[in-house]
Amino acid sequence: MHGLTGCAGTVHLLGPVDVETPGGWHGGLPAQLRKVLAVLAVNREVSLSADQIVKRVWDGDPPESAIQMVRNQVRALRRLFEAFDGDVVERSHGGYRLSAGGVEVDAERFRSLVQEGRLRHAAGDAAGAVRLLTRGLDLWHGPEAMVDVRDVPDLQVEAVGLDELRFQAEEMVAEGYLVLGQPEEALPILRALTTLHQYREWPWLQLMAAQALIGRRVEASDETYRAAQHHLVGMTGLDAPLLAELHRALLLGVDGAELVAMIRRGHGDHPDH
């Protein structure tokens, strides 16, 4: 992966926290430096004083030298970019902030692409939505956002939100492929989603529809349905009415396109969407 737009560098939050500059990839940063960098990256719209950074990074239990440690880490960040024009970590209103023009944050670009893709998806442009969402998902370089700094509460909240947005993007990509009549492209995405998110209904429904579309209706109505029933109903004690409806449709021989339409109608009626 390379810097997003050829600027001085990119801060990567979509996986382990690290930095990429035109001079190379800077992985393996010290733990406290990664935390300070991530705090600056997720709060780049505001200026943070050294004391505010300390409170976020150490969560109320800082060492006596914490203020000086933050200053040292800011200097270290500046050295990463010292070969390039501009001050990547700016002083602003008595605090520090990442330069808006000098460095990019992959999570910001991901959110922007997901928002654009969601609009295309809502407008019925499945191909455009898949293209934009795939570009966003390609920015990830690990299974979880900020996996190495989640012991900082504020960063954990941010990371969980990014993980959820990734799930939504993958779900929309899979649905887009089904609408476009490309179930073979959706299958690996849906297998991964049903493995990682076993208690979410929509990926199971989409997987069953994709299997039906490629002629594996028996597998969809038997093996996949039983796995879905186990996780969604047996393990939670909840009802899954759309799963039961889809299963009946599979047994009645309803064609794949109508199965996809059934799922989309149910998805649109869901209060979370």
Side-chain angles (χ1 to χ4, degrees):
M1 187 185 304
H2 302 285
L4 298 179
T5 63
C7 65
T10 301
V11 176
H12 294 288
L13 304 181
L14 303 177
V17 175
D18 51 40
V19 170
E20 186 181 6
T21 72
W25 187 282
H26 303 277
L29 300 174
Q32 293 302 326
L33 183 59
R34 292 196 304 272
K35 292 176 183 179
V36 170
L37 173 60
V39 166
L40 290 171
V42 302
N43 293 280
R44 70 182 299 177
E45 72 280 1
V46 298
S47 177
L48 295 177
S49 68
D51 186 58
Q52 288 172 317
I53 296 172
V54 165
K55 289 178 180 177
R56 284 167 170 79
V57 170
W58 281 276
D59 191 30
D61 188 26
E64 292 184 4
S65 60
I67 293 288
Q68 187 59 48
M69 290 171 69
V70 166
R71 291 171 180 158
N72 291 341
Q73 288 153 2
V74 167
R75 283 196 290 270
L77 289 174
R78 286 172 170 158
R79 284 196 296 272
L80 286 177
F81 298 93
E82 63 186 356
F84 309 100
D85 293 336
D87 193 354
V88 169
V89 183
E90 302 174 330
R91 288 303 300 266
S92 173
H93 299 94
Y96 303 102
R97 61 181 294 172
L98 286 184
S99 166
V103 64
E104 290 198 335
V105 178
D106 62 356
E108 293 178 354
R109 182 60 177 152
F110 173 64
R111 285 195 179 93
S112 176
L113 286 166
V114 172
Q115 178 61 23
E116 293 179 53
R118 196 188 301 278
L119 292 173
R120 295 284 186 92
H121 181 80
D125 180 6
V130 166
R131 183 172 59 253
L132 288 164
L133 293 165
T134 300
R135 283 170 55 193
L137 291 168
D138 284 346
L139 297 174
W140 285 74
H141 60 289
E144 295 180 321
M146 294 184 280
V147 65
D148 48 351
V149 296
R150 289 194 175 207
D151 55 326
V152 177
D154 285 357
L155 297 179
Q156 182 177 9
V157 170
E158 184 77 11
V160 169
L162 287 167
D163 290 346
E164 174 62 23
L165 194 60
R166 179 181 186 170
F167 167 79
Q168 294 173 13
E170 290 173 329
E171 188 182 57
M172 283 189 285
V173 168
E175 183 173 316
Y177 280 132
L178 294 180
V179 170
L180 292 169
Q182 301 174 35
E184 66 283 352
E185 299 291 342
L187 277 172
I189 300 171
L190 294 169
R191 289 195 183 103
L193 288 179
T194 53
T195 299
L196 295 172
H197 305 280
Q198 295 177 335
Y199 303 109
R200 298 196 186 222
E201 185 175 23
W202 307 114
W204 287 109
L205 301 176
Q206 291 174 317
L207 177 58
M208 291 164 67
Q211 290 171 330
L213 282 166
I214 63 170
R216 292 163 61 178
R217 184 175 291 265
V218 172
E219 180 181 357
S221 62
D222 183 13
E223 181 180 335
T224 304
Y225 169 71
R226 285 189 286 106
Q229 178 80 358
H230 170 72
H231 291 294
L232 299 176
V233 179
M235 297 297 291
T236 67
L238 302 175
D239 292 328
L242 192 53
L243 175 65
E245 182 183 351
L246 185 66
H247 185 232
R248 286 193 296 271
L250 282 165
L251 295 177
L252 290 171
V254 173
D255 69 77
E258 178 53 31
L259 296 176
V260 173
M262 180 187 306
I263 295 170
R264 297 188 76 198
R265 287 194 299 270
H267 204 171
D269 292 339
H270 195 276
D272 291 339
H273 296 86

